[in-house]
Amino acid sequence: MFPSVLFLLLVPHALLASRQAAVISPQDPVLRIGSSLTATCTLSPELGLHASTLYWALNGMSLSSSTYSLVSPDTLSVTLHNLSGSRQQSGDNLVCHGADGHVLAGSCLYVGIPPEKPVNLTCWSHNTKDLSCRWSPGGRGETHVRTKYTLKYKLRWYGREKECEIYSTGKHRYSCYIPRNLALFTPYEIWVEAANQLGSATSDIITLDVLDVVTTDPPASVHVSRVGDLEDQLTVRWASPPELKDILFQAKYQIRYRLEDSAEWKVVDDVGNQTSCRLAGLRPGTVYFVQVRCNPVGIYGSRKPGIWSDWSHPAAASTPSNKRLQSGSCDPKPGEQNSTLRRELKQFFGWARKHASGCSGMSIKLYDQWRVWLQKTHRTRNQVGKQNPSPSLSSFHYLC
């Protein structure tokens, strides 16, 4: 499993010229963490060297002579206790050197632990025809020696055992992809086996129907736009995921949105199966970021919901500003200002009567009383805004 030729790639070319100069035993051992090892370096008689002139090194660091033992004129041993896990899966390099520093022989030590039971096995399908699965190594995860993970699956009540063949590498190396030939309406049993030269372990078996683990790509073409001149509303529109257009299903969607300068997202849960939604109760003159995700339900009549997709790429838009006084502009006439305020508050009260609970008694008379007070204060609308700040994110509402 671990050919000693790997070691030869890591040491000077002098080793190639003196491969028969000496032999280390055991060659390329696999050991458990915490164990001890005694290795010997036996010289070839043709060299005419005495073993007492040799020295040992591990990963390029000379080992203390107190760990050596002269077995015979041509054999020197070294004993290592309480071995730590290998620094790399290609093994730790144990080398026997001549007095002049030349490499006489080498061996790779593989020190690790048996694998533990893989955990967190989950699977999903993008189109009911494929299946992707991922898992996590059990226990501490790192075994320090090369460990093979094999995902296996079979139909629950019949069928032969199969192995997944397309494994990911790098960051997502604990995952596998089954691209085709999956049965529908019949559950699968799926599990992962882990094995190395120190032992093996098997995950718990999960049972699933492909129709119950369908997910999609995030909704495409997400657009956010203003609703005319309404200062507190934005419209969100998106397209259904294209990969499921040939499948009988209903999708439900979620929207989340946040202020440009905030990390707090507000989620709209009950968007349903429609592909547009109007957000209301927003702050005027503010940039919002919006994302949408999809959950396919009712795939071919399945009663179970699917799996939420990732969130779409953020789309952004700003609500119209309610500030009429801009730098370098002229003050509006009092009549124009009052007319604008009255129109805006009529829109607000109309929305509040329709959608806000406990506000059925609100009327335009309340606005007239407020206007009288406003005129008496002789303050601009911006100053009033400071006394009555915009609502917080927790008080926002939406209209779908």
Side-chain angles (χ1 to χ4, degrees), residues 4-156:
S4 57
V5 69
L6 292 175
F7 167 77
L8 299 180
L9 299 176
L10 303 173
V11 298
H13 291 290
L15 176 60
L16 299 178
S18 57
R19 286 186 63 186
Q20 305 304 317
V23 175
I24 289 180
S25 181
Q27 188 65 213
D28 303 338
V30 181
L31 307 163
R32 287 178 179 255
I33 290 176
S35 61
S36 298
L37 169 70
T38 296
T40 60
C41 178
T42 301
L43 295 167
S44 172
E46 290 82 7
L47 288 179
L49 298 177
H50 195 279
S52 62
T53 64
L54 308 182
Y55 70 92
W56 291 91
L58 182 64
N59 293 327
M61 300 294 293
S62 297
L63 296 173
S64 171
S65 59
S66 63
T67 61
Y68 302 172
S69 178
L70 187 63
V71 178
S72 67
D74 59 0
T75 302
L76 182 69
S77 70
V78 64
T79 299
L80 305 174
H81 296 288
N82 195 24
L83 291 169
S84 301
S86 296
R87 299 180 183 178
Q88 52 195 11
Q89 289 194 349
S90 58
D92 293 327
N93 300 317
L94 181 64
V95 179
C96 175
H97 290 270
D100 57 1
H102 286 164
V103 174
L104 301 178
S107 177
C108 289
L109 308 185
Y110 301 96
V111 185
I113 57 176
E116 295 189 41
K117 180 175 72 174
V119 295
N120 302 326
L121 174 59
T122 57
C123 301
W124 63 95
S125 173
H126 269 90
N127 53 19
T128 74
K129 300 175 184 178
D130 67 355
L131 195 67
S132 298
C133 298
R134 65 170 171 244
W135 61 91
S136 301
R140 291 171 289 180
E142 179 58 65
T143 61
H144 299 279
V145 294
R146 192 170 302 164
T147 300
K148 181 180 180 181
Y149 291 88
T150 305
L151 184 135
K152 296 185 177 182
Y153 60 101
K154 65 182 287 292
L155 291 172
R156 184 175 187 180

